């Protein structure tokens, strides 16, 4: 059976379909930038310029999905046609270096303020950390600040298909999509890794609430629930964390990422335009339990060209960190 694939690209009020020679879209989690390169045939009028509204849709044969919504970054014009490069809100965040201090705001509110600075819309934002004061300094981009807040909230930051900045809770075993290994993939590789060195966040306040007056007063004792530093653990100062609850939340975020990186996946499948970073994918009809996941997608690349219609996925384990770190420790112990 042959699937009928296709692409639709809209630049301002002009729509292109059969005029498109190829599309390559690279999607990543924040602070990375989603980007699509659209090659349009020679002789076709492409009046779009930098800043024009743009959207990219792909059809892998099972239905159309929006891959990227944003603006034209630039247009390259050659003898073989035009190449339009489209980016989304991630590029606007990456181009913004804030110099702001936010007092007494939640993580949700800080993410909203940072998005406003970049003129970006927000979607679902579940940044649970609370701050007595958050200094958004210009040493980091707004994208890096949003990703850092997500990290401290045990969450994942991304830009969705509609171009909105989102922060969603770190997945713990609940898949949002399912794929079949025997039907949709042309290659599938998993790998197991030793846990990286543990960096445990240590706060700088002694208050029970971020809004309390003593949240500003530095504590004489380390604000952490972690064990003492040793050869496998380092305390990492995080002055923005002023309460024990925020320290514990940030510690879970660090543990989630550390555990997830112990199991990794890379695969190639038929064009699946609905897949994007932040998806949690379960793999069915596997030959090895280690393949089933679920997997948190961190990078997705869609390619459509003559003779090419594929999606490349990369991801990490989307299970509870205790299961990942404990299970790996048990497996390693069994080898000793």
């Amino acid at each position: 059976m042959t699937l009928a694939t296709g692409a639709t690209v809209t630049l301002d009020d002009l729509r292109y379909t059969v005029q498109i020679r190829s599309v390559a879209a690279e999607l990543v989690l924040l602070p990375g930038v989603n980007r699509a390169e659209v090659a349009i045939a020679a002789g076709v009028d492409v009046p779009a310029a930098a800043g024009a509204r743009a959207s990219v849709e792909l059809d892998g044969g099972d239905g159309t999905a929006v891959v990227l919504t944003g603006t034209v970054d630039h247009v390259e014009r050659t003898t073989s046609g035009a190449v339009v490069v489209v980016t989304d809100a991630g590029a606007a965040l990456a181009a913004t270096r804030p110099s702001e201090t936010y007092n007494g705001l939640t993580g949700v509110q800080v993410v909203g303020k940072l998005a406003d600075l970049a003129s970006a819309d927000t979607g679902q934002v579940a940044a649970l950390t609370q701050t007595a004061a958050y200094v958004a300094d210009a040493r980091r981009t707004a994208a890096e600040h949003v990703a850092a807040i997500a990290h401290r909230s045990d969450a994942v930051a991304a830009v969705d298909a509609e171009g909105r900045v989102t922060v969603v809770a770190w997945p713990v075993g609940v898949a949002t999509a399912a794929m079949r290994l025997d039907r949709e993939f042309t290659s599938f590789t998993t790998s197991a890794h030793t846990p990286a060195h543990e960096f445990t966040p240590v706060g700088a306040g002694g208050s029970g609430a971020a809004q309390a007056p003593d949240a500003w007063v530095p504590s004489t004792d380390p604000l952490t629930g972690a064990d003492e530093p040793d050869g496998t653990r380092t305390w990492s100062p995080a002055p923005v964390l002023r309460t024990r609850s925020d320290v514990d939340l940030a510690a879970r975020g660090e543990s989630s990422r550390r555990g997830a990186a112990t199991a990794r996946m890379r695969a190639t499948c038929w064009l699946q335009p609905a897949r994007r970073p932040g998806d949690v994918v379960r793999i069915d009809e596997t030959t090895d339990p280690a393949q089933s996941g679920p997997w948190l997608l961190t990078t997705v690349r869609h390619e459509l060209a003559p003779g090419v219609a594929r999606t490349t996925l990369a991801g990490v384990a989307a299970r509870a960190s205790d299961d990942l770190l404990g299970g790996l420790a048990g497996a390693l112990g069994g080898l000793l």
Side-chain angles (χ1 to χ4, degrees):
M1 182 179 73
T2 301
L3 296 177
T5 59
T8 301
V9 175
T10 304
L11 306 176
D12 276 340
D13 296 325
L14 295 180
R15 176 171 292 188
Y16 302 84
T17 53
V18 295
Q19 303 92 338
I20 297 172
R21 295 170 48 227
S22 66
V23 176
E26 186 85 21
L27 310 179
V28 294
L29 296 174
L30 287 172
V33 176
N34 296 335
R35 169 190 173 100
E37 292 188 2
V38 181
I40 299 176
V44 176
D45 184 31
V46 184
R53 301 187 315 276
S55 68
V56 179
E57 301 176 24
L58 294 176
D59 186 348
D62 290 331
T64 300
V66 176
V67 172
L68 193 150
T69 301
T71 58
V72 173
D73 183 79
H74 66 275
V75 181
E76 302 172 2
R77 303 184 189 277
T78 69
T79 55
S80 59
V83 177
V84 182
V85 177
V86 179
T87 56
D88 61 13
L93 289 171
T96 302
R97 288 191 176 270
S99 183
E100 306 280 335
T101 299
Y102 303 114
N103 292 318
L105 300 186
T106 65
V108 172
Q109 292 171 312
V110 175
V111 169
K113 295 285 188 181
L114 293 168
D116 287 344
L117 288 176
S119 299
D121 295 329
T122 57
Q124 179 183 359
V125 177
L128 300 181
T129 189
Q130 302 216 4
T131 62
Y134 184 87
V135 179
D137 62 272
R139 291 176 297 177
R140 291 191 286 185
T141 67
E144 291 170 325
H145 282 291
V146 170
I149 292 169
H151 193 148
R152 293 191 179 110
S153 299
D154 193 19
V156 180
V159 176
D160 67 13
E162 302 303 320
R164 302 170 300 188
V165 179
T166 65
V167 178
V168 297
W170 187 272
V172 185
V174 179
T176 59
M179 300 177 70
R180 287 184 53 152
L181 184 65
D182 62 341
R183 186 175 66 184
E184 296 170 289
F185 290 91
T186 57
S187 69
F188 196 95
T189 303
T190 62
S191 58
H193 302 260
T194 302
H197 186 81
E198 180 180 354
F199 290 92
T200 301
V202 178
S207 173
Q211 305 298 330
D214 60 347
W216 296 88
V217 180
S219 173
T220 56
D221 298 318
L223 186 60
T224 181
D227 294 333
E228 294 288 330
D230 57 23
T232 62
R233 181 184 305 105
T234 298
W235 281 2
S236 177
V240 70
L241 303 175
R242 313 298 296 189
T243 70
R244 177 60 186 272
S245 60
D246 282 341
V247 170
D248 291 344
L249 181 61
R252 286 204 304 272
E254 181 65 33
S255 179
S256 294
R257 283 161 171 76
R258 182 167 170 263
T262 62
R264 305 173 195 177
M265 174 273 290
R266 185 168 182 84
T268 303
C269 56
W270 306 119
L271 184 63
Q272 300 283 334
R275 297 285 68 80
R276 61 188 308 105
D279 286 352
V280 181
V281 178
R282 183 186 75 243
I283 309 300
D284 295 331
E285 303 300 326
T286 61
T287 57
D288 183 341
Q291 297 172 328
S292 60
W295 302 99
L296 169 67
L297 301 186
T298 56
T299 303
V300 176
R301 180 176 175 82
H302 300 297
E303 297 175 87
L304 181 61
V308 177
R310 64 182 173 225
T311 295
T312 302
L313 310 174
V316 296
R319 304 196 303 276
S321 59
D322 289 346
D323 294 340
L324 291 164
L325 296 173
L328 187 58
L332 293 174
L335 298 175
L336 299 178

